[in-house]
Amino acid sequence: MKTKSIGAGLAVMVLALTAACQKPATETSNADAASGDMTLRVVQSSTSVAFFPLFVASEEGYYAKEGLTVEKPVVVGGDSKVAAALAGGAADIGGGVATTAFLLADGKRDPRIVANLVNSYYVDVIVGNQFHQPPAGASLEDKIKALKGARIGIPAPSGGGVALLQFLFSKVGLDVKKDVTLVNLGGSNAGALGALKTDRVNVLVFFQPVSQEVEARKAGSIYISPTRGDIPDMSAQPHGLALSTAGILKKKPEAMAAFVRAIGRAEKLIHDDPAKTRQLFQKYQSSLDPKTVEAMLPVLQKEIPETPVITADGYAKAVKFHQVAGLAKNPPDFATITEQDFITKALAK
């Protein structure tokens, strides 16, 4: 199975977008560090569940309580654009996924993970009611094989949906390019749901909460879910991350440490206060109906970590996944990408 095209395409986009950025990271004034600059510019790839902790930290005033000024995150639309914003100095922190970190590494931009936001690969394989499923109790391998010949809706031709398919298909010898028909549906939840209900596709591989919305509307069911534990070697694999670079972290260490503590507060609230979490998530995903929000609550508490710390085992799983999917050529070692456990040290202050 060929997987190089996805990684190559994303690398080209990173180079192009980096060149377009207005201010190279190397031009950031050394006065920032000396003056104790406590202002952070944040971008994020989307408004997916991965970045809910960022929203909570802002809404609950946790940034301000840590002495930070954090501008409203700019939603840039895609992992490569987050990587380009960090590489070009247009942002201090990027809300992205593990793929974003490996894009930065492959571009020799020295990424750093500054907070673990979602400790699970939050993309699900969803089947419509018309899909012929294998018998109850079928093995993971049999469920993957049953996807052969399916029309599969994805958010983008080079995103996390395709990466998950490649990882799964590698287990049973299937080829994403030959054995299924991929249909690019864009990032719209409503568009994905409509395509499934009208049988334009009979399978979706989409980020949450599309899967919960499909089930709430009785249009299909969750078929394979990393968060649910259906893929053992992806268990507790970090995916949603707050990222920066070594250069930015060196220039704004106190601001970055304060950011970590604010995210820690947000993640604690998500685990300790279900009623408040429900209210905040409904505001964050305002288009969702109450049934979908209710279905998401236990999922959020399962996949959002209780602390922003990332583990060596979890990182190793993310590396292996991205290598199989062809999206990580030169992944940094764990001690380097975590800046010698910067997150734990920040939380201890």
Side-chain angles (χ1 to χ4, degrees):
M1 176 177 60
K2 296 180 181 179
T3 59
K4 294 181 179 179
S5 59
I6 292 178
L10 287 172
V12 169
M13 285 190 284
V14 170
L15 291 173
L17 287 161
T18 300
C21 287
Q22 296 178 351
K23 182 180 177 184
T26 53
E27 293 180 8
T28 303
S29 171
N30 289 332
D32 287 347
S35 65
D37 185 358
M38 295 296 283
T39 300
L40 293 175
R41 300 160 300 160
V42 181
V43 300
Q44 61 190 60
S45 64
S46 68
T47 55
S48 78
V49 297
F51 314 118
F52 181 52
L54 302 181
F55 180 80
V56 173
S58 178
E59 287 290 307
E60 293 299 293
Y62 294 149
Y63 293 136
K65 289 175 183 177
E66 292 293 340
L68 278 174
T69 299
V70 178
E71 300 172 5
K72 182 179 179 180
V74 177
V75 179
V76 295
D79 303 331
S80 61
K81 292 181 181 180
V82 173
L86 290 171
D92 301 307
I93 288 176
V97 292
T99 312
T100 318
F102 299 132
L103 284 172
L104 285 164
D106 289 345
K108 302 187 185 304
R109 294 296 182 172
D110 217 4
R112 294 292 184 268
I113 297 171
V114 293
N116 188 7
L117 303 177
V118 174
N119 205 37
S120 176
Y121 200 88
Y122 60 98
V123 176
D124 294 327
V125 181
I126 311 148
V127 296
N129 294 327
Q130 69 277 19
F131 181 80
H132 182 67
Q133 297 192 37
S139 67
L140 174 62
E141 289 73 17
D142 286 342
K143 294 181 79 171
I144 298 169
K145 290 176 183 177
L147 293 171
K148 185 174 182 178
R151 301 182 308 281
I152 302 179
I154 53 172
S158 59
V162 176
L164 179 59
L165 282 175
Q166 287 180 330
F167 184 79
L168 293 174
F169 282 13
S170 70
K171 295 177 177 294
V172 298
L174 292 180
D175 189 327
V176 169
K177 294 181 179 179
K178 296 178 180 179
D179 294 320
V180 294
T181 300
L182 297 181
V183 181
N184 182 9
L185 299 175
S188 166
N189 292 18
L193 180 63
L196 192 67
K197 290 176 71 174
T198 59
D199 203 26
R200 182 184 173 196
V201 300
N202 54 1
V203 177
L204 294 172
V205 184
F206 253 74
F207 44 78
Q208 299 162 358
V210 171
S211 47
Q212 286 72 28
E213 191 164 14
V214 166
E215 292 198 330
R217 294 178 181 270
K218 301 187 185 305
S221 58
I222 300 171
Y223 185 61
I224 299 173
S225 172
T227 295
R228 195 168 61 186
D230 297 345
I231 311 170
D233 46 0
M234 290 182 69
S235 175
Q237 174 184 313
H239 193 47
L241 300 169
L243 300 162
S244 191
T245 67
I248 298 170
L249 189 59
K250 184 176 181 180
K251 290 178 175 66
K252 295 187 174 184
E254 294 305 318
M256 290 293 185
F259 175 84
V260 171
R261 292 191 291 273
I263 296 303
R265 288 179 181 233
E267 292 178 345
K268 186 176 188 303
L269 180 144
I270 290 167
H271 283 271
D272 291 353
D273 193 338
K276 186 67 173 179
T277 299
R278 182 187 297 105
Q279 176 188 350
L280 287 167
F281 191 69
Q282 181 72 78
K283 187 174 181 179
Y284 180 62
Q285 297 272 358
S286 59
S287 65
L288 294 181
D289 62 79
K291 287 184 179 180
T292 304
V293 172
E294 195 66 31
M296 274 302 302
L297 283 177
V299 178
L300 289 171
Q301 291 186 315
K302 182 174 183 179
E303 63 193 9
I304 291 175
E306 295 184 19
T307 168
V309 173
I310 187 168
T311 68
D313 180 63
Y315 179 68
K317 289 179 178 179
V319 168
K320 182 178 179 181
F321 174 89
H322 283 79
Q323 287 176 328
V324 171
L327 294 173
K329 295 178 182 177
N330 301 292
D333 64 69
F334 179 71
T336 298
I337 202 166
T338 59
E339 191 69 24
Q340 303 293 332
D341 205 14
F342 173 81
I343 301 170
T344 299
K345 293 172 184 175
L347 291 171
K349 290 183 180 180

